[in-house]
């Protein structure tokens, strides 16, 4: 491997050069995705009035417009299979974008829906997906106000791809983000992790675990509103989707230049998910969620926000999992179940099941 | 999880660690042979519970890590062929060959699939009679029976579109090679529990005799590993060298005779190249004459490919326990999980990746 010598003093002016083609990991939410955005998209999209908003790389862009503070986010859904235990691509597309908007502290009020359909898709199936989307939007109190439909030739798509874009209103004076995360903050997780990723994997790979593990897909705007209404000083929120809690904590540790100290035994993982992860050699902390959030809260307000969360249907399992520290900035360190420590890295791309 | 949580209990782990500290009077170096044990040690921080006098050396027991570069290159060539569906265990997909990995082949149109059971590859061959289905059959004695069953089933089903790219390796010859190396530092071994589940323990008695080295058959949960370490230390401190089984819930002395019958039928012992170590005589399995028609190297004419390793990568020394991963100059610099130079940086079970993922806080201090 003589090319390895090229990497001497590697400082990533062109870190994409070792991958001349897009590989699946570029969409996996891990390091490869981050590098693609940072080194390809951000420079290409620079030079406009609000370009700095993109540079912040939040789940939602937040900016002032006509006296209002808006949050704006988009996401595309290419999940396969389209129907899985606990949901389908439709409610995922609605909930996912609502959550991205809500994590900025905004109340989402409107969504757009773009669908790309493959020739031959059963109208009946599209009807089921659309019905679920309507139900999800009504449940979250968000209106779907515009959309677009395109059809591609048979073989050029995977049945249905959905893009949703959401806008929300941020209340005056509210400012959430990694710049507000500081040593001493308590890290709160809203419930048990790993369910969505394992639910998808169980049907995608034809694995049977004895009992159905349901996706946790849910809209979190109500929970966020409840948390903020409690008056607690919340510094930041993020929904740990692809890459799981491990990716979220690592991203925030890097963005805020703080360290994270977590207690592994305090992280709620359902028994079925734990068993499935054990069987596949996966770390539940790296598995995707679609109805959970991680919040960073001023220590004196942790109990207040936890109490508020426990009164909400999507926050009943909320618990403190650790705290932000000054030590080891950029690193997430876990106390293991037997009292040792380990660094919690985030997966390079998608986790790969181990050989044995 | 029943039968698992019992072996991750903090109070019991601490009690075992205290027992270890109580019997340890001087420095000892112990090698865990299996990558699964290495993973467990760093994943749970087991070594932090041990007295400083004890050094754990990480052995050559990660199947992904020791699979030779040229076999990866063969896999890449086979997988890129338009008529092939190439099936592999998940963590082989990202192992770098000399110019690419299987992800790259997939992104360029190759049909590369992760399977969870080798027999899924046989099902794929049945379902795709117009395709050639190839399974990447690597691993130690642990994965060998399931891999062997693929060709047994393919033969029984009369499948002509299934083949196996085989690089099986065996634990006992690797232990002998380490003990024969003049530079070795190993004073006791934790033997790989699941290898012994298949093969039994009889192969280890002669090694204990010949090298006067304690070998304790050990499991993979934190308490299993601690108990294995405690038993090796007790022998060392008492001046004994014996074969012990600390994993009786999964290992019987005779192993699994049904699996051994299949292995004897399907495979025959051969010399094998180990990545980073070199060729070890009689250290692997290839398909026996009875199943040679299922050999992917023959079917796709890639048997003669030869390739070179990176000269920066010191994975051979890591795999023999001569250096720790972070003592390699390339560690964390030219070599990271993102751009691995050697296979131990790729697999979760690889010592280098385990150090990189779980140990970066200590990396500088250890040097």
């Amino acid at each position: 491997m003589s090319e390895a010598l090229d990497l001497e003093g590697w400082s990533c002016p062109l870190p994409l050069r070792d991958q001349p083609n897009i590989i699946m990991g570029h969409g996996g939410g891990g390091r490869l995705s981050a590098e693609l955005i940072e080194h390809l998209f951000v420079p290409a999209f620079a030079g406009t009035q609000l370009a700095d908003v993109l540079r912040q790389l939040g789940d939602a862009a937040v900016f002032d417009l006509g006296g209002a503070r808006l949050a704006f986010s988009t996401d595309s859904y290419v999940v396969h299979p389209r129907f899985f235990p606990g949901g389908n691509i439709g409610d995922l597309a609605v909930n996912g974008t609502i959550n991205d908007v809500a994590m900025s502290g905004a109340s989402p009020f409107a969504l757009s829906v773009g669908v790309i359909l493959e020739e031959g898709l059963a109208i009946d199936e599209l009807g089921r997906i659309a019905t679920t989307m309507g139900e999800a939007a009504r449940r979250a109190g968000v209106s779907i106000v515009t959309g677009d439909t395109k059809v591609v030739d048979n073989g050029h798509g995977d049945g249905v791809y959905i893009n949703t874009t959401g806008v929300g209103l941020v209340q005056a004076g509210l400012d959430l983000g990694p710049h507000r995360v500081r040593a001493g903050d308590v890290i709160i997780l809203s419930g048990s992790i790993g369910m969505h990723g394992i639910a998808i994997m169980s049907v995608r790979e034809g694995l049977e675990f004895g009992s159905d593990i349901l996706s946790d897909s849910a809209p979190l705007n109500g929970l966020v509103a409840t948390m903020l209404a409690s008056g607690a000083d919340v510094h930041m929120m993020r929904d740990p989707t692809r890459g799981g809690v491990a990716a979220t904590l690592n991203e925030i540790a890097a963005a805020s230049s703080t360290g994270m100290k977590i207690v592994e035994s305090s992280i709620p993982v359902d028994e079925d998910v734990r068993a499935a992860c054990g069987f596949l050699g996966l770390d539940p902390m790296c598995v995707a969620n679609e109805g959970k959030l991680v919040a960073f809260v001023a220590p004196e307000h942790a109990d207040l926000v936890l109490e508020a969360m426990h009164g909400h249907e999507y926050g009943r399992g909320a618990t403190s999992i650790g705290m932000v520290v000054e030590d080891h900035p950029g690193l997430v360190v876990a106390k293991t179940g037997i009292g040792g420590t380990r660094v919690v890295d985030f997966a390079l791309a998608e986790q790969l099941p181990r050989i044995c | 999880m029943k039968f698992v949580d019992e072996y991750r209990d903090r109070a019991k782990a601490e009690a075992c660690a205290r027992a270890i500290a109580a019997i340890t009077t001087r420095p000892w170096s112990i090698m865990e042979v299996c990558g699964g044990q290495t993973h467990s040690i760093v994943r749970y921080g087991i070594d932090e519970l041990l007295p400083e006098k004890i050094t754990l050396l990480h052995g050559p027991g990660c199947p992904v890590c020791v699979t030779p570069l040229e076999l990866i290159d063969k896999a890449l060539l086979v997988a890129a062929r338009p008529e092939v569906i190439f099936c592999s265990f998940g963590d082989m997909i990202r192992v770098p060959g000399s110019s690419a990995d299987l992800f790259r082949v997939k992104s360029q149109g190759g049909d590369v699939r992760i399977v969870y059971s080798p027999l899924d590859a046989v099902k794929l061959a049945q379902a795709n009679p117009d395709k050639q289905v190839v399974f990447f059959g690597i691993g130690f004695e642990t994965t060998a029976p399931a891999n062997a069953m693929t060709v047994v089933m393919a033969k029984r089903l009369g499948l002509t579109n299934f083949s196996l790219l085989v690089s099986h390796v065996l634990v006992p010859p690797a232990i002998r090679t380490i003990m024969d190396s003049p530079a070795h530092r190993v004073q006791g071994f934790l033997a790989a529990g699941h290898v012994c589940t298949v093969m039994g323990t009889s192969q280890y008695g002669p090694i204990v005799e010949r090298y006067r080295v304690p070998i304790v058959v050990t499991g993979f949960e934190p308490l299993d590993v601690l108990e294995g370490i405690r038993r090796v230390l007790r022998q060392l401190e008492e001046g004994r060298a014996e074969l012990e089984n600390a994993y009786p819930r999964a290992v019987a002395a005779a192993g699994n005779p049904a699996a051994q019958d299949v292995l004897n039928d399907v495979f025959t012992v051969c010399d094998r190249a180990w990545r980073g170590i070199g060729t070890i005589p009689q250290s692997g399995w290839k398909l026996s004459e009875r199943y040679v028609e299922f050999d992917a190297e023959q079917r796709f004419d890639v048997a003669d490919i030869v390739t070179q390793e990176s000269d920066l990568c010191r994975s051979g020394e890591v795999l023999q326990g001569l250096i720790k991963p972070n003592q390699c100059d390339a560690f964390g610099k030219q070599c990271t999980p993102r751009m691995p130079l050697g296979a131990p940086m790729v697999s979760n079970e690889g010592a280098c990746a385990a150090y990189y993922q779980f140990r970066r806080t200590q990396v500088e201090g250890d040097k």
Side-chain angles (χ1 to χ4, degrees), chain A residues 171-211:
Chain A
Q171 55 176 274
L174 185 68
D175 175 31
L176 302 183
H179 60 282
R180 294 205 53 217
V181 172
R182 65 209 54 195
D185 279 5
V186 173
I187 307 171
I188 288 171
L189 176 62
S190 67
S192 55
I193 59 168
M195 291 148 78
H196 178 73
I198 296 294
I200 292 284
M201 200 175 280
S202 68
V203 274
R204 184 187 290 168
E205 313 293 350
L207 301 173
E208 289 162 16
F209 297 121
S211 64

Side-chain angles (χ1 to χ4, degrees), chain B residues 110-123:
Chain B
D111 191 346
V112 177
R113 304 191 192 185
I114 293 175
V115 293
Y116 296 84
S117 159
L119 290 175
D120 289 346
V122 178
K123 284 186 202 151

Side-chain angles (χ1 to χ4, degrees), chain A residues 9-64:
Chain A
W10 182 78
S11 62
C12 75
L14 278 172
L16 303 168
R17 65 184 166 187
D18 56 292
Q19 286 296 352
N21 301 83
I22 290 295
I23 62 172
M24 293 306 290
H26 283 123
R31 283 192 205 285
L32 289 172
S33 302
E35 284 169 6
L36 193 66
I37 294 167
E38 189 181 340
H39 298 286
L40 192 146
F41 287 120
V42 169
F45 297 163
T48 59
Q49 201 180 348
L50 290 176
D52 285 347
V53 179
L54 174 65
R55 209 172 285 283
Q56 290 161 13
L57 301 179
D59 277 349
V62 177
F63 51 89
D64 296 306

Side-chain angles (χ1 to χ4, degrees), chain B residues 25-183:
Chain B
T25 63
R26 51 193 162 119
W28 297 108
S29 294
I30 301 172
M31 175 176 277
E32 82 279 359
V33 168
C34 178
Q37 291 162 340
T38 307
H39 183 77
S40 201
I41 286 165
V42 252
R43 166 73 180 71
Y44 291 97
I46 293 172
D47 48 344
E48 292 173 27
L49 304 183
L50 300 176
E52 279 184 12
K53 294 192 189 85
I54 298 171
T55 304
L56 293 179
L57 302 169
H58 314 305
C62 163
V64 173
C65 304
V66 300
T67 298
L69 188 59
E70 60 191 38
L71 198 85
I72 313 279
D73 285 349
K74 289 173 186 176
L76 298 174
L77 281 174
V78 172
R81 295 172 72 109
E83 78 276 23
V84 165
I85 299 176
F86 193 86
C87 304
S88 168
F89 291 129
D91 45 7
M92 281 308 287
I93 304 274
R94 204 163 50 220
V95 180
S98 24
S99 64
D101 59 22
L102 285 164
F103 273 127
R104 175 90 64 90
V105 171
K106 183 167 184 268
S107 77
Q108 291 167 344
D111 191 346
V112 177
R113 304 191 192 185
I114 293 175
V115 293
Y116 296 84
S117 159
L119 290 175
D120 289 346
V122 178
K123 284 186 202 151
L124 268 177
Q126 280 180 284
N128 296 277
D130 54 331
K131 290 281 193 176
Q132 281 289 333
V133 176
V134 182
F135 182 71
F136 203 177
I138 68 142
F140 283 88
E141 294 92 326
T142 326
T143 52
N147 292 352
M149 280 309 291
T150 62
V151 290
V152 172
M153 290 300 293
K155 193 165 194 169
R156 199 176 290 165
L157 294 165
L159 294 177
T160 55
N161 66 328
F162 178 82
S163 59
L164 202 56
L165 185 60
V166 192
S167 180
H168 270 294
V169 281
L170 305 171
V171 167
I175 293 183
R176 288 176 188 276
T177 300
I178 288 165
M179 292 309 288
D180 285 334
S181 153

Side-chain angles (χ1 to χ4, degrees), chain A residues 72-140:
Chain A
F72 181 46
S73 184
T74 190
D75 208 340
S76 300
Y77 297 83
V78 297
V79 62
H80 180 91
R82 297 186 285 280
F83 293 82
F84 47 82
N88 69 47
I89 189 171
D91 57 349
L92 202 63
V94 171
N95 291 335
T97 294
I98 286 174
N99 292 347
D100 283 347
V101 173
M103 289 309 125
S104 65
S107 305
F109 59 87
L111 282 185
S112 74
V113 172
V115 291
I116 297 173
L117 308 172
E118 184 182 1
E119 182 185 28
L121 176 78
I123 292 279
D124 173 52
E125 191 176 331
L126 182 60
R128 284 160 62 202
I129 291 169
T131 302
T132 324
M133 295 180 79
E135 284 167 3
R138 284 187 289 275
R139 184 169 54 165

